[in-house]
Amino acid sequence: MARKKIIAGNWKMNMTPSEAVKLVEELKPLVATEDADVVFCVPAIDIIPAMEAAKGSNIEIGAENMYFEEKGAFTGEISPAMLTDVGVKYVVLGHSERREYFAETSETVNKKMLKAFEHGLTPIMCCGETLEQREQGVTMDFIRQQVKVGFLNVTAAQAAISVIAYEPIWAIGTGKTATTAQAQEVCKAIRECIAEIYDEATAAAIRIQYGGSVNAATAPELFVQPDIDGGLVGGAALKPDFGKIVNWK
Ligand code: PGA
């Protein structure tokens, strides 16, 4: 069965709740499509107003992070039940900015993955190499490790419905998109890694996005690649351009 594309916006730390409502209303007609799942991953405080604004549209509102404990003394964190209680289905886990600035590791990402599945949330698990790693030729070793640790104890059925976002760190927010060949090569290798951990059917089912300076001009070339099932979009998700990315065909 052909995989349905999934095109997600990652708003990062942008948009106040009132700005979020305006942006959702503005983008709503532009991102209407049946060909792809469209997800806006927004700051926690924007989730409820964004959801209200998205009502009646094809937009799913997702979260950018969550904690791996059920509840308790974890000041400032958001629990999975808080997300599911308001109808969130997708959560970005292990974004490189979380790894870099908030000390997340593949081990904590794995804990979050397991907790997300326990609550019926679909993770969008991010992985990707630094420029130094690419130059040293260790890109695939590094990403395989991120994927293997991230998916530790995740069942094949859970993996099959997961989303992985391949985001080379050097391409994030830099305007420097990976070439189509580079993006396809790594996404294919990630799929092979999933086949090794699980089986061919799981590898054929899992959706793998590319992220890193995706824009309306680069999306069509990227999204036709056989192993690229959509994108995780930062900067361009805050603009009408996102409508063009979603309707890339
Ligand atoms: P960018 O961000 O599209 O602004 O490069 C992508 C991301 O970090 O998810």
Side-chain angles (χ1 to χ4, degrees):
M1 205 177 75
R3 291 182 296 272
K4 191 174 187 188
K5 297 267 190 259
I6 175 163
I7 299 168
N10 170 17
W11 287 14
K12 311 195 179 190
M13 198 174 73
N14 294 295
M15 301 291 144
T16 63
S18 48
E19 288 167 344
V21 168
K22 280 200 201 110
L23 183 59
V24 170
E25 308 237 303
E26 183 188 353
L27 291 181
K28 219 162 32 171
L30 306 179
V31 300
T33 180
E34 306 218 318
D35 292 345
D37 290 330
V38 178
V39 189
F40 289 15
C41 298
V42 306
I45 199 166
D46 294 345
I47 290 174
I48 293 172
M51 243 174 207
E52 286 293 317
K55 262 202 187 126
S57 77
N58 60 318
I59 302 168
E60 284 275 357
I61 302 298
E64 297 179 12
N65 181 35
M66 60 158 230
Y67 198 49
F68 53 73
E69 294 287 354
E70 288 294 328
K71 58 157 85 170
F74 304 103
T75 303
E77 291 296 321
I78 302 280
S79 77
M82 291 171 188
L83 298 179
T84 54
D85 187 68
V86 297
V88 168
K89 295 201 189 87
Y90 294 94
V91 58
V92 177
L93 295 179
H95 188 280
S96 60
E97 287 149 17
R98 303 273 340 151
R99 297 179 194 251
E100 183 178 354
Y101 306 129
F102 304 99
E104 290 200 13
T105 62
S106 290
E107 286 73 21
T108 56
V109 172
N110 176 241
K111 286 188 187 178
K112 292 181 177 196
M113 293 277 286
L114 297 172
K115 192 48 91 175
F117 288 121
E118 236 179 77
H119 286 264
L121 285 157
T122 298
I124 300 177
M125 195 199 86
C126 302
C127 59
E129 81 286 3
T130 62
L131 188 56
E132 293 72 42
Q133 287 168 326
R134 178 158 283 270
E135 284 169 351
Q136 284 166 14
V138 296
T139 296
M140 263 339 290
D141 292 342
F142 180 69
I143 289 170
R144 284 169 62 86
Q145 187 67 13
Q146 284 186 319
V147 171
K148 283 191 172 169
V149 177
F151 279 81
L152 216 61
N153 296 320
V154 171
T155 68
Q158 290 168 336
I161 56 163
S162 301
V163 180
I164 296 178
Y166 165 55
E167 300 204 308
I169 294 169
W170 49 272
I172 295 177
T174 57
K176 208 174 152 188
T177 319
T179 66
T180 310
Q182 284 171 328
Q184 161 59 21
E185 183 188 26
V186 179
C187 289
K188 178 168 185 263
I190 291 171
R191 200 177 299 288
E192 285 165 2
C193 181
I194 292 293
E196 267 171 47
I197 305 172
Y198 301 100
D199 48 54
E200 290 297 334
T202 307
I206 196 168
R207 293 189 287 181
I208 305 176
Q209 297 173 314
Y210 167 78
S213 300
V214 174
N215 58 41
T218 54
E221 244 188 80
L222 289 161
F223 295 173
V224 292
Q225 299 305 308
D227 288 292
I228 301 181
D229 304 315
L232 184 58
V233 183
L238 302 171
K239 302 188 280 201
D241 240 25
F242 195 58
K244 293 195 189 129
I245 296 174
V246 165
N247 291 294
W248 58 280
K249 265 196 210 155

